C-alpha cells in the first residue's frame, strides 16, 4: 500500500489550560480531497495549522508524505526540529487562509514570485514564467501587474492560491477560504479549487460550503468539541449522518 499523504495520529492540542484537540485521528491519501466541517470553535482551523506546523502539538504525531511534522524520531523518542528545518518542511505544504494577506506594495506577479525567489532560490525568469502560468490557471492572466487594492476579494484570494501553488507543494490546506468574501465572489474561488482537486492535488479544506463538500470531496469529516465524531463519503455524512450532533448541525446549515 502507498504511504498516505497525511497521517494524523492521536493529536492533542491546548492553548494554556484550554484543550482544543482531543486525540484526533485522520488519514488523507495522495490525490484525495477531505473537507472538515463543524461548528465554529470546534478545532478545525487549529488542526489545519498543526498539519503545517504553525502550531505545536502537545501529543500524538502528524506525518506528511511519511515524514514527521515538526519533529525527528531517534530511538523511539521525538525531538523538536530546529526552526530552519521546520521552515523547510513547510515549503512542501501550501496554505490558504480566510484573509488573503497579500503584500499590498507588490503586484500579483511579485506576490507569487516572492517566496520561490527568496526561499527556493529559483531562477528569476523561471519563477516569473511559472507565476504567469499560475495566474492563467486561476483565471487572472491579465492581472499580473495589478496591486491587491486594484483586485476584488475573490481575485485576491485566487492570487493567494497561486502564491501557495508557486512553491510546488505536495499538499494544499484551505482554512475557510471563502468566508471573508461577498457571496457573489465565492463561486470563482471554489471553481479554482474544483480544478485543483480535479488535477489530483491532495487537499484538506475547512469549509462551510456544503455544496462544495458534496461535489468535490472524497471524504467529509465532522468535528465537534475538538474531536472527529463522524467521517465518510459526502453522501453518507451529509445525506445520512449517524451522529446526533452531526444531524443537528447539518439540519441547521442545510435548511
Amino acid at each position: 500500500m502507498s504511504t498516505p499523504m497525511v497521517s494524523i495520529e492521536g493529536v492533542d492540542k491546548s492553548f494554556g489550560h484550554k484543550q482544543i484537540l482531543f486525540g484526533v485521528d485522520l488519514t488523507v491519501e495522495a490525490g484525495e480531497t477531505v473537507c472538515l466541517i463543524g461548528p465554529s470553535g470546534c478545532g478545525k482551523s487549529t488542526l489545519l495549522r498543526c498539519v503545517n506546523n504553525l502550531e505545536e502539538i502537545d501529543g500524538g504525531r502528524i506525518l506528511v508524505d511519511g515524514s514527521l511534522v515538526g519533529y525527528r524520531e531517534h530511538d523511539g523518542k521525538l525531538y523538536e526540529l530546529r526552526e530552519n528545518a521546520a521552515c523547510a518542511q513547510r515549503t512542501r505544504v501550501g496554505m490558504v487562509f480566510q484573509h488573503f494577506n497579500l503584500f499590498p506594495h507588490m503586484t500579483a506577479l511579485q506576490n507569487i514570485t516572492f517566496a520561490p525567489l527568496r526561499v527556493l532560490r529559483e531562477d528569476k525568469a523561471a519563477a516569473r514564467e511559472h507565476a504567469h502560468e499560475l495566474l492563467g490557471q486561476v483565471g487572472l492572466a491579465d492581472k499580473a501587474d495589478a496591486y491587491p487594492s486594484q483586485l476584488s476579494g475573490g481575485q485576491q484570494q485566487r492570487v493567494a492560491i497561486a502564491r501557495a501553488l508557486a512553491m510546488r507543494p505536495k499538499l494544499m490546506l484551505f482554512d475557510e477560504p471563502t468566508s471573508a468574501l461577498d457571496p457573489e465572489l465565492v463561486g470563482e474561488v471554489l471553481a479554482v479549487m474544483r480544478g485543483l482537486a480535479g488535477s489530483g492535488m491532495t487537499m484538506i479544506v475547512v469549509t462551510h460550503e456544503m455544496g462544495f463538500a458534496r461535489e468535490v470531496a472524497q471524504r467529509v469529516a465532522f468535528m465537534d468539541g475538538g474531536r472527529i465524531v463522524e467521517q465518510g463519503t459526502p453522501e453518507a455524512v451529509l445525506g445520512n449522518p449517524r451522529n446526533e450532533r452531526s444531524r443537528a448541525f447539518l439540519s441547521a446549515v442545510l435548511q
Side-chain angles (χ1 to χ4, degrees):
M1 294 180 63
S2 61
T3 301
M5 182 58 70
V6 181
S7 294
I8 301 170
E9 304 170 358
V11 166
D12 298 322
K13 174 63 183 176
S14 298
F15 293 106
H17 297 296
K18 184 175 178 60
Q19 189 164 351
I20 306 298
L21 300 176
F22 298 81
V24 175
D25 294 307
L26 182 67
T27 300
V28 182
E29 301 297 335
E32 189 176 25
T33 296
V34 174
C35 284
L36 297 178
I37 65 171
S40 297
C42 70
K44 305 183 301 294
S45 295
T46 298
L47 181 61
L48 216 61
R49 291 175 64 85
C50 290
V51 171
N52 204 19
N53 198 30
L54 296 175
E55 301 288 353
E56 293 182 10
I57 60 176
D58 299 316
R61 294 154 44 108
I62 300 175
L63 296 93
V64 171
D65 200 22
S67 297
L68 278 169
V69 172
Y71 297 88
R72 61 180 178 85
E73 188 170 14
H74 182 68
D75 290 339
K77 294 184 179 181
L78 297 181
Y79 299 88
E80 190 173 340
L81 290 180
R82 293 179 178 177
E83 183 59 27
N84 61 342
C87 288
Q89 277 194 339
R90 291 191 193 103
T91 65
R92 301 177 301 161
V93 181
M95 189 157 184
V96 178
F97 300 88
Q98 297 178 30
H99 300 286
F100 329 121
N101 299 323
L102 300 177
F103 294 115
H105 62 290
M106 293 184 181
T107 65
L109 189 75
Q110 290 169 335
N111 266 281
I112 295 168
T113 58
F114 181 79
L117 291 174
R118 292 285 296 272
V119 178
L120 299 182
R121 305 296 183 187
E122 283 191 8
D123 172 75
K124 186 174 183 179
R128 287 174 61 88
E129 181 180 0
H130 189 212
H132 279 292
E133 292 172 0
L134 291 170
L135 282 169
Q137 182 178 336
V138 300
L140 295 173
D142 60 338
K143 299 296 185 181
D145 296 324
Y147 289 90
S149 62
Q150 299 170 311
L151 301 174
S152 70
Q155 290 171 330
Q156 290 185 63
Q157 190 63 295
R158 285 186 279 160
V159 172
I161 293 172
R163 178 180 60 184
L165 292 172
M167 296 294 284
R168 307 178 192 273
K170 299 179 178 181
L171 167 69
M172 285 287 288
L173 308 176
F174 293 87
D175 187 6
E176 297 192 36
T178 61
S179 64
L181 300 178
D182 292 332
E184 65 269 21
L185 302 177
V186 168
E188 63 191 47
V189 173
L190 294 181
V192 171
M193 295 170 63
R194 285 189 193 93
L196 278 178
S199 73
M201 174 63 74
T202 310
M203 297 163 50
I204 305 177
V205 184
V206 171
T207 186
H208 291 293
E209 300 289 341
M210 298 302 152
F212 174 84
R214 189 185 301 275
E215 177 187 351
V216 177
Q218 281 79 47
R219 277 187 298 128
V220 173
F222 176 79
M223 290 189 69
D224 187 47
R227 297 175 170 87
I228 293 178
V229 299
E230 183 168 358
Q231 63 174 300
T233 65
E235 294 78 11
V237 175
L238 302 180
N240 188 29
R242 302 184 308 275
N243 182 274
E244 181 180 346
R245 185 67 184 94
S246 304
R247 288 196 297 270
F249 174 81
L250 290 166
S251 67
V253 301
L254 294 177
Q255 284 181 348

